[in-house]
Amino acid sequence: MEINAAEAATNRSYEDFEPYCKWLTQEGQAILEIHLKGFKKEQLKVETDNWGTLKIYGERPVNATNNKWCRFQKEIKISIGSDTKAIRAKFSHGLLFIAMPKEAVRELFIYGAETRNRTNAIKVAIAVVFVVALGTYIARRVYNDENIQLIS
């Protein structure tokens, strides 16, 4: 009796595990290093989704005789400022490296914008001081007029 691949997959016994991971920081990027001794590149999958999540998973047979497999799955929120289109993965000698470069910060310089903002802030400050001074003058004048009327 022959067992096809789909039936063999359903008869598998899985052992889930958490691989050792560490973060490295290099200039302009964060690198996630995952230790996956015994795995082959074909047994791993790395993908991103539209919600900013990096998904990493893999499975491999522990031994072929009794249909035992080990597997893992990790989901990591991609940090804000990472260039999701430039994320790269490399598997070598049992180590999976996932590089997440930061987006290049684009600075738009508009000539005089900083000066205009500073000038506007000064104008607002002067207006606030004027309004407070005027309010104080009016309050004192009313207070003094009331005191004069009460004393008389």
Side-chain angles (χ1 to χ4, degrees), residues 19-97:
Y20 174 75
C21 303
K22 70 178 179 179
W23 284 98
L24 308 168
T25 305
Q26 290 183 352
E27 188 175 311
Q29 65 183 351
I31 299 173
L32 178 60
E33 179 182 305
I34 305 174
H35 293 242
L36 297 168
K37 185 177 179 182
F39 276 84
K40 296 177 184 173
K41 181 180 179 179
E42 300 78 32
Q43 298 166 331
L44 302 171
K45 189 161 191 173
V46 178
E47 61 188 21
T48 59
D49 65 16
N50 293 334
W51 298 278
T53 304
L54 178 69
K55 296 180 180 183
I56 310 152
Y57 45 95
E59 60 180 42
R60 69 172 179 84
V62 174
N63 59 33
T65 59
N66 60 6
N67 228 5
K68 279 188 131 182
W69 287 64
C70 67
R71 67 181 176 188
F72 75 96
Q73 180 174 347
K74 293 191 78 53
E75 290 189 7
I76 299 167
K77 189 75 177 160
I78 299 170
S79 64
I80 296 173
S82 291
D83 187 356
T84 56
K85 293 179 182 170
I87 292 175
R88 299 289 178 253
K90 179 183 176 185
F91 185 70
S92 177
H93 303 292
L95 296 173
L96 177 63
F97 297 94

Side-chain angles (χ1 to χ4, degrees), residues 66-151:
N66 60 6
N67 228 5
K68 279 188 131 182
W69 287 64
C70 67
R71 67 181 176 188
F72 75 96
Q73 180 174 347
K74 293 191 78 53
E75 290 189 7
I76 299 167
K77 189 75 177 160
I78 299 170
S79 64
I80 296 173
S82 291
D83 187 356
T84 56
K85 293 179 182 170
I87 292 175
R88 299 289 178 253
K90 179 183 176 185
F91 185 70
S92 177
H93 303 292
L95 296 173
L96 177 63
F97 297 94
I98 302 171
M100 293 178 254
K102 301 287 182 198
E103 284 184 317
V105 177
R106 288 188 240 156
E107 293 183 24
L108 299 176
F109 180 75
I110 301 172
Y111 181 74
E114 186 177 316
T115 305
R116 273 195 305 265
N117 290 342
R118 195 175 304 140
T119 302
N120 288 341
I122 291 170
K123 287 179 182 177
V124 168
I126 290 171
V128 168
V129 168
F130 176 76
V131 169
V132 169
L134 181 62
T136 304
Y137 172 77
I138 292 171
R140 283 185 179 167
R141 185 80 176 158
V142 168
Y143 178 75
N144 286 339
D145 287 346
E146 287 177 1
N147 283 343
I148 291 171
Q149 290 174 358
L150 291 175
I151 294 174

